[in-house]
Amino acid sequence: MHRLNPDSKTLRKFGMTMGAAFLVISGLFLFRQRNTGATYSLLASVVFSIAGLVLPILLKSVYIVWMRFAFILGWINTRIILVILFYLIFTPLGLWMRLFRIDLLERKNKTDSFWKEKEKIGPDPLNYERRF
């Protein structure tokens, strides 16, 4: 992982983004009628927004911790998605295709060329414009 050294523009953007995110979370708490959670998330929204606007340097340590957490989470999620994709989708599909001898690439045909001839429709000038 590369070294994180955010500038004030990045920290300001981070503060405003976190403020907006906590504001949305506060709205969800209010929607579910949980006032204490809404109060705390609204307070966090105000703190992040003000810190992002007034003194973004205060958010540097929070930003670094948050980005490291995001890096770790992204690394884990990538592995989970790849395992699901390959072992639960591609492997059963490949085994099924081998079981029923389905050859989508037509590798069994021993021909000189794998080009397929296109049907000739006739001398229509539109065929020159729509070639495929």
Side-chain angles (χ1 to χ4, degrees):
M1 188 172 146
H2 66 280
R3 194 156 173 84
L4 292 172
N5 194 11
D7 57 344
S8 76
K9 182 180 178 183
T10 304
L11 293 173
R12 184 172 286 117
K13 192 175 178 182
F14 173 71
M16 297 310 292
T17 303
M18 291 298 284
F22 277 115
L23 189 63
V24 169
I25 292 171
S26 177
L28 290 174
F29 275 132
L30 284 175
F31 180 72
R32 294 189 176 255
Q33 298 173 349
R34 294 197 170 99
N35 293 335
T36 56
T39 305
Y40 291 131
S41 62
L42 188 62
L43 179 67
S45 173
V46 169
V47 167
F48 271 107
S49 297
I50 290 174
L53 287 174
V54 178
L55 274 171
I57 197 70
L58 292 176
L59 296 174
K60 186 174 182 176
S61 60
V62 177
Y63 176 81
I64 291 172
V65 169
W66 185 258
M67 288 299 132
R68 286 190 178 153
F69 173 71
F71 177 77
I72 293 169
L73 198 61
W75 188 87
I76 292 170
N77 283 338
T78 302
R79 272 58 181 180
I80 290 171
I81 290 170
L82 287 176
V83 163
I84 288 171
L85 187 69
F86 282 101
Y87 291 116
L88 298 180
I89 295 174
F90 290 145
T91 302
L93 186 64
L95 292 174
W96 182 75
M97 289 175 68
R98 281 189 184 184
L99 181 67
F100 291 106
R101 298 183 193 274
I102 297 172
D103 187 19
L104 296 177
L105 296 177
E106 298 178 2
R107 294 174 293 176
K108 302 285 188 222
N109 296 342
K110 300 293 181 189
T111 60
D112 292 336
S113 174
F114 288 102
W115 286 86
K116 294 184 180 181
E117 291 289 328
K118 183 179 176 188
E119 297 177 19
K120 298 200 184 226
I121 299 172
D124 188 13
L126 289 177
N127 288 339
Y128 293 112
E129 294 178 12
R130 293 179 287 144
R131 300 177 73 187
F132 301 104

